[in-house]
Amino acid sequence: MTKKIVVLTCLLAVALAPLAARQATEELKLKLPKPMFIGTPTNIKSPNLEVVTGKSRGPFLVPVGTKLLSLKRPVTSSDRQPVIGELEMITDGEKEGGDGYFVELGPGKQFVQIDLGARYALHAILAWHYHSQARVYRDVIVSVADDKDFLRGVTTIFNNDHDNSSGLGIGKDKEYIETFDGKLFDPKGVKARHVRLYSGGNTSNDMNHYVEVEVYGLPAK
């Protein structure tokens, strides 16, 4: 009987080990910029807009040890000559939304891409397109890949292009109003080196903007 108990105890410990590892989490600590407008916008209409609650995002849990990977990492774009700003501003750590803090890309479908320098298990991606006024950016798609040309290990994390106007496939996610909180996309631990974010204009004009993009993760095993 004693041997059976020992064996069962060992088997139970082995079975619970992965669960214990998954539960080793902590709240992702974010440094948010100051709000630049007050109140909940009511004049933005979209057939695919998420419900506006006016509440800030709650705590987001990530594996213990998750680090910011994107700070100062190189950024490339489909628009090689931004209308306003420089591409390196997208990963410079500055998230204030006023003039001089954002990059403006040309109209239509555009993307920015961050090279993390190595392959990581990704646990959070945040984007601030523009938060000095309430806007909805169209056809927001976030994808990751192992190579810069997005041919290997491509995974789409988020896609709110409900009518395939970007030509990248119909997405099931909702459009959202930009705020100082930024938008948090959950990669669910997918492993990749390159992060690409698309957009296709916004409810104020046809241009595309980025204040900052942050990518968090752990070294890939």
Side-chain angles (χ1 to χ4, degrees):
M1 182 65 70
T2 304
K3 288 185 178 180
K4 288 184 178 180
I5 293 176
V6 171
V7 171
L8 289 174
T9 301
C10 292
L11 291 175
L12 182 61
V14 171
L16 291 178
L19 179 59
R22 289 198 299 270
Q23 291 176 335
T25 59
E26 61 186 1
E27 181 182 347
L28 181 64
K29 299 296 185 181
L30 300 171
K31 184 179 180 181
L32 299 178
K34 294 179 180 180
M36 298 193 69
F37 63 87
I38 299 174
T40 302
T42 58
N43 60 340
I44 295 179
K45 305 298 182 182
S46 169
N48 191 41
L49 188 64
E50 68 181 8
V51 175
V52 179
T53 66
K55 298 179 180 179
S56 294
R57 179 179 55 244
F60 184 75
L61 298 181
V62 295
V64 172
T66 295
K67 301 295 184 183
L68 176 62
L69 307 172
S70 53
L71 186 63
K72 306 297 183 182
R73 295 303 308 170
V75 181
T76 54
S77 174
S78 53
D79 187 346
R80 298 182 179 180
Q81 295 182 321
V83 180
I84 298 174
E86 303 294 335
L87 293 176
E88 54 263 31
M89 294 167 61
I90 296 172
T91 57
D92 67 357
E94 298 288 344
K95 288 171 275 193
E96 302 304 320
D99 292 345
Y101 288 95
F102 65 87
V103 177
E104 180 175 86
L105 307 180
K109 183 178 72 176
Q110 300 282 2
F111 71 79
V112 297
Q113 183 170 317
I114 301 169
D115 181 357
L116 300 175
R119 197 165 180 258
Y120 290 91
L122 306 180
H123 295 290
I125 300 172
L126 288 98
W128 290 261
H129 284 100
Y130 188 90
H131 63 88
S132 63
Q133 63 177 230
R135 293 180 178 180
V136 171
Y137 280 79
R138 305 297 193 188
D139 300 345
V140 174
I141 301 171
V142 181
S143 299
V144 300
D146 291 332
D147 67 306
K148 64 182 180 62
D149 297 316
F150 274 65
L151 299 175
R152 302 191 310 272
V154 180
T155 301
T156 297
I157 306 300
F158 182 92
N159 182 349
N160 67 13
D161 180 5
H162 67 282
D163 58 3
N164 197 29
S165 55
S166 66
L168 297 173
I170 295 176
K172 297 182 179 180
D173 297 300
K174 295 290 187 179
E175 292 181 333
Y176 59 92
I177 295 175
E178 295 285 326
T179 72
F180 73 101
D181 275 327
K183 180 64 174 179
L184 192 153
F185 310 103
D186 185 359
K188 301 184 185 302
V190 67
K191 297 175 182 178
R193 170 172 173 167
H194 299 270
V195 178
R196 181 181 288 186
L197 301 94
Y198 290 91
S199 61
N202 64 86
T203 49
S204 294
N205 53 61
D206 293 332
M207 309 302 275
N208 298 276
H209 304 90
Y210 289 89
V211 172
E212 188 77 9
V213 175
E214 291 184 340
V215 183
Y216 292 83
L218 292 166
K221 295 181 180 179

